[in-house]
Amino acid sequence: MTRRYIFALPYSIPSTALFNKAARRLLLALLFLCPFTVIAADTWSYHQESDRLTNRNYSFALSPLPPRGLYDNIRLEIICKDNALQVVINADSLIASQGSAFDFEYQIDKNPPVKLQMKTFKDSKRRGYTEEHAKRIIDDLLTGQSVFIRVNTMIRKVLSAAIPLENAAEPVNRVVADCGLALSSAPAYTLDEFEQDFAKLPSEQQQQVLSKVKKIILETQKALSTEK
């Protein structure tokens, strides 16, 4: 008589399907246990965070990254922190040593470029900011469709990026409101816009407009000479 022995393993090996299912559950559990901020990559977005050093809340609007491969990885941030408004440049590359000034240039659409100075943070060589020019930059950003920026670094390298301004108004306005400020109610009337509107007028009305403009200029010149 042949005897057959059946050996039972102390545990069973789960199938691939069961293993994958368990792994997915573990991953979901880790995601819930480790909160993080999801940042949209293709549009402007609004965020609120807490400073780890001061435990004070602050808000910021974050720009999308420029098209990959065409420009440097640069992002703009509009920040309201300690009731102060800042425009911040975030770059992957070196800008300047900590706490150093550097030249920053931006151009809205086809308008003339604006050149000013920013300063790196005391703890970073790749992040720069300005408070002095923040309001002006923000007002300009919300008048156009895109902004082209240049950053002159300490090693004489120019970082550049084109950033879309679509959908920037809502998050930027929220940050500005957090600082108790208000943006300009309307963008400035540019010379290009005046020339375009002027060309649409009949000849007779053009002469009337020119007469009024001349009168305004003469009165302004007279007022300026009186102040001197």
Side-chain angles (χ1 to χ4, degrees):
M1 179 178 179
T2 303
R3 295 182 179 179
R4 296 179 179 178
Y5 298 91
I6 301 175
F7 296 93
L9 293 174
Y11 61 89
S12 59
I13 301 176
S15 65
T16 302
L18 292 175
F19 179 79
N20 289 339
K21 187 175 182 181
R24 286 196 298 269
R25 288 179 177 176
L26 177 61
L27 180 59
L28 287 173
L30 290 174
L31 290 176
F32 280 111
L33 290 174
C34 302
F36 58 91
T37 303
V38 177
I39 297 178
D42 58 350
T43 188
W44 284 78
S45 52
Y46 173 85
H47 308 272
Q48 286 184 325
E49 291 187 2
S50 178
D51 191 308
R52 294 181 180 179
L53 295 177
T54 63
N55 292 323
R56 294 178 181 176
N57 293 329
Y58 66 95
S59 61
F60 62 98
L62 186 66
S63 79
L65 284 169
R68 183 176 297 180
L70 297 178
Y71 301 102
D72 297 289
N73 282 339
I74 299 176
R75 261 186 168 147
L76 281 174
E77 288 183 44
I78 311 300
I79 301 178
C80 175
K81 194 170 187 178
D82 297 330
N83 294 321
L85 203 59
Q86 297 178 341
V87 173
V88 174
I89 285 288
N90 261 318
D92 285 349
S93 303
L94 177 70
I95 297 177
S97 55
Q98 295 99 322
S100 299
F102 62 93
D103 290 331
F104 169 73
E105 190 175 1
Y106 70 94
Q107 183 177 16
I108 306 296
D109 298 335
K110 295 182 179 180
N111 294 327
V114 178
K115 188 175 182 179
L116 49 84
Q117 277 199 333
M118 282 191 172
K119 189 177 183 180
T120 52
F121 288 93
K122 293 181 179 180
D123 60 349
S124 177
K125 298 179 181 180
R126 292 174 170 83
R127 298 184 74 234
Y129 74 100
T130 177
E131 290 184 4
E132 178 185 359
H133 305 291
K135 187 64 166 52
R136 175 188 178 180
I137 295 174
I138 294 171
D139 285 337
D140 287 346
L141 289 177
L142 298 186
T143 64
Q145 299 299 314
S146 67
V147 57
F148 183 76
I149 59 179
R150 297 182 186 89
V151 178
N152 294 298
T153 71
M154 63 183 296
I155 57 174
R156 298 184 179 179
K157 179 182 178 181
V158 178
L159 305 177
S160 62
I163 298 176
L165 296 174
E166 184 180 2
N167 301 323
E170 194 274 335
V172 170
N173 270 300
R174 289 180 66 179
V175 173
V176 174
D178 290 341
C179 272
L181 300 173
L183 295 174
S184 300
S185 57
Y189 192 44
T190 67
L191 180 60
D192 288 340
E193 290 174 326
F194 170 78
E195 290 177 347
Q196 292 175 6
D197 293 339
F198 182 78
K200 298 175 184 177
L201 298 175
S203 299
E204 183 177 350
Q205 291 183 340
Q206 286 181 349
Q207 291 300 320
Q208 293 176 359
V209 170
L210 289 175
S211 297
K212 292 180 180 179
V213 170
K214 183 178 180 180
K215 182 179 179 181
I216 293 173
I217 290 176
L218 292 175
E219 290 176 350
T220 303
Q221 290 175 338
K222 183 178 179 180
L224 289 175
S225 62
T226 301
E227 291 178 0
K228 294 179 181 180

